[in-house]
Amino acid sequence: MKILTTSDWHLGNLFHGNDRLAEHTHFLKWLLTQIEEQQPDALLIAGDVFDNGNPSAAAQSAYYEFLADATQKCKQMQVIITAGNHDSASRLEAPRPLLTRHRVEVRGSINRKWTTDGEGGNWQIDFDDLMIPITGRDGDSAIVLAVPYLRSDIVQNASYSKGVNDFIRTLTAKAREKHPDIPLVMMAHMYAKGAGIAKTDASEKIIIGGQEEVNMEGWTDHPDYMTCGHIHKRQHIWNTDWARYTGSVLPMSFAEKDYTHGVDLVTLSKGVKPNVAHLVYQPQHRLVVLPENDENLTPKKLQKLINEKLREQVNGKRDEHYDYVTLKVRLEKISNDDIKALEEQVNGKNAVLCRIQKIIPQLDIQTIAGHQSLKSIDDILNRDPMDTLREAFVIKYNTEMSEQQEAMLADLMNGIKNETTD
């Protein structure tokens, strides 16, 4: 049985104000080619189909046109879609009765009902609704456990991460009991502990402090395979050899410019460890950062680098594979006129300038304030207050105080000292 897995399409996304509909159309055409060539038994889309809960008409048209084409190119293929944290669960699931007739299953929300008991009552989750059987052309079967992004009204434990963990483990146990000896494939949308994200400019919505991290360590009776959405870098989920993030189909920030993109082709055979092959997709537009490191370039050197790295336009026009560009400039080396000239130069290439990242050089605080090792409370109490003020000024404004500012502070400090002694 062959299954294509993907996630994090983010249809309707704007990249630094640039509409990405053409890029997404480019990807969807590529994916249709893979479907036609591979003839998979199932296609799993694990959340963040859209970039927001109210996508444009154009983004929705691209989505439904793809589903119509995909189900025609591979008529025996089952398509299963779950909602991510960017999606509107109700909007995604609204056409479910219609789509089901075309072998497209959508799970946006968790079905549950309130049952009363002697202590008041509780919510009963319809786990069966999340168990979707698929059958391969060779007669093999599998059960897809389709888990949409779990919001706090569903996960009501004291700890969100524990609540998600309890949910997916309970679902797996119930599926094992109901469908013994049939391979289980889970699709989910969550932040797993240890997942690698960009250190800066991360585009995923991650709660500070890791409160939403799901720790999957020690899960012995896990599904045979798990595909996950939410994290944009393709990778194994930490401490597993059976769970993987497929990654986003397009880079969502310049921090992701070196990520690989595409879909995974998972081959399931009963009693054999799933085989995973990555079908690599080359996005329509490169992401270019100039300079790539923090090299301190003069405007002339930066202009030369632009000419070396960016392609020329053809007949005065950008082609469909133009680059997205970030320029990094150091403020002490460049004027506003220089910046304007650089903007014009980039926009005259086969490129779109997305942003100019202004780098403020970090001053050496120890040199400014004087090196003093603070090892105890006494060291702090005996320190010259002016050293502390100089240091605080540099941290806040990234520049040294002027002589006039130092003189004003010195007068203020002397005034305070005289008042306390009087």
Side-chain angles (χ1 to χ4, degrees), residues 11 20 45 110 270 299 314 356 363 368 417:
L11 299 177
R20 309 189 86 175
I45 308 172
I110 302 297
K270 192 173 181 179
V314 178
I356 292 182
L363 301 180
I368 294 167
K417 185 176 179 180

Side-chain angles (χ1 to χ4, degrees), residues 156-289:
Q156 297 181 344
N157 298 57
S159 164
Y160 175 85
S161 59
K162 184 179 185 304
V164 173
N165 218 325
D166 289 345
F167 187 99
I168 61 177
R169 293 186 187 219
T170 299
L171 172 60
T172 303
K174 289 181 178 293
R176 289 272 185 225
E177 181 179 355
K178 187 172 182 177
H179 303 281
D181 303 322
I182 298 180
L184 301 181
V185 176
M186 178 174 283
M187 56 191 296
H189 195 91
M190 64 184 189
Y191 178 28
K193 182 177 180 179
I197 61 174
K199 293 181 179 179
T200 59
D201 200 21
S203 55
E204 301 95 340
K205 292 182 178 178
I206 304 299
I207 295 177
I208 296 173
Q211 295 177 27
E212 65 174 0
E213 280 187 319
V214 179
N215 187 353
M216 296 168 62
E217 193 171 11
W219 189 4
T220 55
D221 191 25
H222 54 74
D224 296 275
Y225 187 74
M226 180 176 184
T227 181
C228 210
H230 190 43
I231 302 302
H232 295 163
K233 183 178 181 179
R234 182 178 184 270
Q235 59 191 288
H236 272 295
I237 289 180
W238 184 57
N239 278 351
T240 73
D241 60 358
W242 49 271
R244 181 186 290 280
Y245 284 107
T246 308
S248 60
V249 300
L250 297 178
M252 302 302 295
S253 75
F254 277 93
E256 300 176 11
K257 71 182 186 68
D258 295 323
Y259 285 6
T260 57
H261 303 275
V263 300
D264 282 345
L265 177 62
V266 182
T267 304
L268 285 180
S269 299
K270 192 173 181 179
V272 179
K273 183 180 177 180
N275 179 66
V276 182
H278 187 48
L279 306 182
V280 179
Y281 166 68
Q282 184 62 49
Q284 191 175 20
H285 304 305
R286 286 191 311 164
L287 269 58
V288 179
V289 177

Side-chain angles (χ1 to χ4, degrees), residues 54-330:
N54 187 26
S56 67
Q60 293 181 76
S61 292
Y63 168 66
Y64 287 114
E65 285 174 11
F66 166 79
L67 292 179
D69 291 341
T71 52
Q72 287 300 307
K73 287 183 180 295
C74 190
K75 293 187 177 182
Q76 86 287 348
M77 179 180 69
Q78 180 87 36
V79 181
I80 304 175
I81 303 165
T82 53
N85 60 302
H86 279 256
D87 297 309
S88 165
S90 57
R91 182 187 292 272
L92 199 67
E93 197 171 281
R96 175 174 168 177
L98 174 63
L99 292 176
T100 298
R101 298 184 184 186
H102 297 276
R103 299 178 62 80
V104 178
E105 293 287 347
V106 181
R107 298 295 183 271
S109 306
I110 302 297
N111 288 342
R112 58 180 182 166
K113 61 180 180 179
W114 181 261
T115 59
T116 58
D117 54 30
E119 297 179 359
N122 55 63
W123 287 107
Q124 294 293 323
I125 292 174
D126 184 2
F127 285 104
D128 288 348
D129 185 56
L130 305 178
M131 304 177 194
I132 303 173
I134 56 175
T135 303
R137 65 188 66 195
D138 56 2
D140 286 348
S141 298
I143 301 297
V144 174
L145 308 180
V147 184
Y149 178 72
L150 298 174
R151 302 187 185 275
S152 56
D153 61 330
I154 298 297
V155 179
Q156 297 181 344
N157 298 57
S159 164
Y160 175 85
S161 59
K162 184 179 185 304
V164 173
N165 218 325
D166 289 345
F167 187 99
I168 61 177
R169 293 186 187 219
T170 299
L171 172 60
T172 303
K174 289 181 178 293
R176 289 272 185 225
E177 181 179 355
K178 187 172 182 177
H179 303 281
D181 303 322
I182 298 180
L184 301 181
V185 176
M186 178 174 283
M187 56 191 296
H189 195 91
M190 64 184 189
Y191 178 28
K193 182 177 180 179
I197 61 174
K199 293 181 179 179
T200 59
D201 200 21
S203 55
E204 301 95 340
K205 292 182 178 178
I206 304 299
I207 295 177
I208 296 173
Q211 295 177 27
E212 65 174 0
E213 280 187 319
V214 179
N215 187 353
M216 296 168 62
E217 193 171 11
W219 189 4
T220 55
D221 191 25
H222 54 74
D224 296 275
Y225 187 74
M226 180 176 184
T227 181
C228 210
H230 190 43
I231 302 302
H232 295 163
K233 183 178 181 179
R234 182 178 184 270
Q235 59 191 288
H236 272 295
I237 289 180
W238 184 57
N239 278 351
T240 73
D241 60 358
W242 49 271
R244 181 186 290 280
Y245 284 107
T246 308
S248 60
V249 300
L250 297 178
M252 302 302 295
S253 75
F254 277 93
E256 300 176 11
K257 71 182 186 68
D258 295 323
Y259 285 6
T260 57
H261 303 275
V263 300
D264 282 345
L265 177 62
V266 182
T267 304
L268 285 180
S269 299
K270 192 173 181 179
V272 179
K273 183 180 177 180
N275 179 66
V276 182
H278 187 48
L279 306 182
V280 179
Y281 166 68
Q282 184 62 49
Q284 191 175 20
H285 304 305
R286 286 191 311 164
L287 269 58
V288 179
V289 177
L290 298 176
E292 293 185 359
N293 50 32
D294 289 333
E295 187 178 0
N296 191 353
L297 298 182
T298 63
K300 286 187 177 180
K301 288 184 177 180
L302 195 50
Q303 289 172 351
K304 182 180 178 182
L305 188 62
I306 290 170
N307 285 329
E308 290 174 352
K309 297 296 184 180
L310 300 183
R311 295 171 292 126
E312 298 294 334
Q313 294 182 358
V314 178
N315 298 324
K317 295 181 179 180
R318 289 191 291 263
D319 65 21
E320 61 178 4
H321 295 288
Y322 59 80
D323 298 329
Y324 287 133
V325 179
T326 281
L327 290 183
K328 294 194 295 187
V329 299
R330 288 184 173 268

